[in-house]
Amino acid sequence: MPTTTSDLYAIPPDLADLRDTIRQLARERIAPRAAEIDRSATYPHDIRELLAEHDILALPFEEEYGGTGTGTLMLQIAVEEIAMACASSALILMIQELGTLPIRLFGTDEQKQHWLPRCASGEWSPAFALSEPEAGSDPAALRTSAVRDGDEWVINGQKNWITNAGIADFYIVFAKTDRQSNRSSAFIVEADREGFDPGKLEHKLGIKGSPTGSPSFTDVRVPAENLIGAEGKGLSVALGTLERTRLGAAAQAVGIAQGATDYAAQYARERIAFGQPINALQGIQFKLADMETRTAAARELLYKACAKADRNERDLGKYSSMAKLFASDTAMAVTIDAVQVLGGYGYVNDYPVERMMRDAKITQIYEGTNEIQRVVIARSMQ
């Protein structure tokens, strides 16, 4: 049966109902906590429990592993809705996908059965340990090593910029297993392994409620069955994962942009200057119009890329890079404009737009910098 135009631009009713439930939860339970999460820079365990209780942490998973089986689009809609209220809280769901997708895409049946159901229920929390002090945008430059010793692998090295450090129950760790051929492999490393140290946490500009740390590995031994995928194929595992998970950064960016736009529009309706609401002034009207338009365009590109992910289309990498690039640049531009609309009030933390502006910046950097996204897009055009 051919797809009609209306089908392309309508979210199925069951997903729309789930989106509305998550939106209500974000507005009523998460938004009131956002300012305190930012000010205290503490991980919101209560928000994670809330997301688990409502099966939101099950969104990244298939039904056979205790998930909702609702696909990529629904997952990223949820990230967007939570990010409108609190970008730090949205990262809880984003890392839920990032830290488990290597197992879902490349793991054995035994690995999937062991790890995924406990993540879907919210019992376990994952982390993704790829970046290093000297290897961020260039994962081939990894220095962390893994050496085979009988039925075990021995891991040594230092990671950096790792979300969920100190919170995660296990880490997906990428390490060089063949220096001569410059090949790496991916491993599951439980947080309680001897020789593992979650490291110090960074003090950041934004997303302060999500811990970012520098885990280290000193003769950490893991069994051979903790290898994900084929030995020497770690880079393929990493890139295959990031091709999809960068949609989470795009969704977070769209949510931040929409949250800032909505707040600025509300403020402009109520703020009186020169005897009238400032939204009657053309200078403010045009700014709000551009904010709303750019955010809507970013959402369309995001949803298009999510649909490609759900259909496993070959040009997913190009579209996920375009969505991440455009949405994050939009979030930065829109939040700057939101601060401007609020004037002096926009610059103080009694109002949420300065937090949104600080949170927006990281979306241009993590999950592959926007410079890297432009390289991916340009290569797809050659």
Side-chain angles (χ1 to χ4, degrees):
M1 182 177 176
T3 303
T4 65
T5 303
S6 60
D7 290 332
L8 293 173
Y9 288 91
I11 297 172
D14 56 332
L15 298 191
D17 290 343
L18 183 52
R19 176 201 61 196
D20 293 344
T21 298
I22 295 170
R23 178 176 295 172
Q24 182 178 359
L25 204 64
R27 288 177 175 173
E28 295 179 0
R29 303 285 298 277
I30 299 175
R33 289 274 287 116
E36 174 57 27
I37 289 169
D38 179 67
R39 268 194 291 269
S40 63
T42 53
Y43 183 81
H45 289 278
D46 59 319
I47 301 300
R48 189 171 187 280
E49 290 170 7
L50 179 71
L51 298 179
E53 178 187 337
H54 290 270
D55 283 337
I56 296 171
L57 294 185
L59 285 170
F61 306 102
E62 294 86 356
E63 289 183 85
E64 62 187 296
Y65 304 116
T68 59
T70 44
T72 302
L73 176 59
M74 186 61 238
L75 169 64
Q76 305 310 350
I77 287 173
V79 170
E80 177 190 347
E81 293 294 334
I82 297 168
M84 281 189 218
C86 175
S88 289
S89 297
L91 261 167
I92 297 173
L93 182 54
M94 291 163 63
I95 199 67
Q96 187 79 349
E97 180 191 29
L98 177 61
T100 58
L101 194 57
I103 299 173
R104 287 176 54 219
L105 293 180
F106 302 97
T108 63
D109 288 340
E110 290 78 14
Q111 287 172 339
K112 293 174 185 177
Q113 292 292 347
H114 180 73
W115 298 98
L116 301 185
R118 289 182 174 91
C119 289
S121 68
E123 179 185 348
W124 287 349
S125 185
F128 183 85
L130 174 63
S131 294
E132 297 183 1
E134 304 299 325
S137 295
D138 181 12
L142 292 179
R143 295 185 179 180
T144 297
S145 66
V147 178
R148 186 73 182 252
D149 182 19
D151 291 334
E152 294 180 315
W153 287 91
V154 183
I155 302 173
N156 283 279
Q158 177 74 55
K159 295 294 181 178
N160 209 9
W161 317 117
I162 306 306
T163 302
N164 256 17
I167 296 293
D169 296 283
F170 66 92
Y171 296 72
I172 306 298
V173 178
F174 295 84
K176 280 283 170 65
T177 47
D178 184 347
R179 291 213 174 273
Q180 190 170 356
S181 302
N182 198 28
R183 290 191 173 276
S184 61
S185 303
F187 300 89
I188 303 168
V189 179
E190 298 90 335
D192 59 0
R193 290 276 173 190
E194 187 176 349
F196 171 76
D197 182 352
K200 68 178 183 65
L201 297 181
E202 304 291 348
H203 299 280
K204 300 171 298 190
L205 176 70
I207 55 165
K208 294 185 176 184
S210 177
T212 304
S214 303
S216 62
F217 304 82
T218 307
D219 293 330
V220 175
R221 289 181 172 269
V222 297
E225 57 263 29
N226 281 27
L227 174 71
I228 301 174
E231 181 182 339
K233 295 293 186 180
L235 187 59
S236 296
V237 174
L239 296 180
T241 299
L242 294 171
E243 179 178 73
R244 290 171 173 267
T245 58
R246 68 174 69 112
L247 293 172
Q252 183 188 39
V254 171
I256 293 170
Q258 191 64 64
T261 298
D262 291 347
Y263 196 90
Q266 173 192 330
Y267 178 87
R269 283 192 293 271
E270 299 171 355
R271 173 77 162 120
I272 305 297
F274 307 105
Q276 60 184 338
I278 62 172
N279 69 355
L281 303 172
Q282 194 174 73
I284 299 296
Q285 290 175 344
F286 282 10
K287 202 174 287 293
L288 292 172
D290 287 345
M291 292 162 67
E292 183 82 343
T293 301
R294 289 190 65 170
T295 303
R299 181 178 295 108
E300 290 295 313
L301 188 52
L302 168 65
Y303 288 10
K304 170 96 169 180
C306 288
K308 285 182 175 291
D310 282 330
R311 293 193 293 260
N312 289 311
E313 293 187 7
R314 290 180 63 185
D315 59 352
L316 168 61
K318 172 184 176 182
Y319 272 84
S320 63
S321 284
M322 290 196 299
K324 193 271 186 187
L325 167 65
F326 188 78
S328 58
D329 281 353
T330 293
M332 198 68 242
V334 164
T335 53
I336 288 172
D337 279 348
V339 170
Q340 193 69 22
V341 169
L342 268 69
Y345 291 113
Y347 202 69
V348 297
N349 65 14
D350 292 331
Y351 293 77
V353 290
E354 63 85 28
R355 165 172 50 85
M356 292 171 176
M357 185 180 76
R358 290 185 286 105
D359 289 343
K361 184 58 196 173
I362 192 61
T363 66
Q364 295 178 305
I365 298 171
Y366 61 16
E367 293 284 340
T369 65
N370 282 7
E371 290 73 22
I372 291 294
Q373 306 310 328
R374 289 180 169 93
V375 169
V376 173
I377 297 161
R379 284 178 178 170
S380 75
M381 300 167 67
Q382 292 173 350

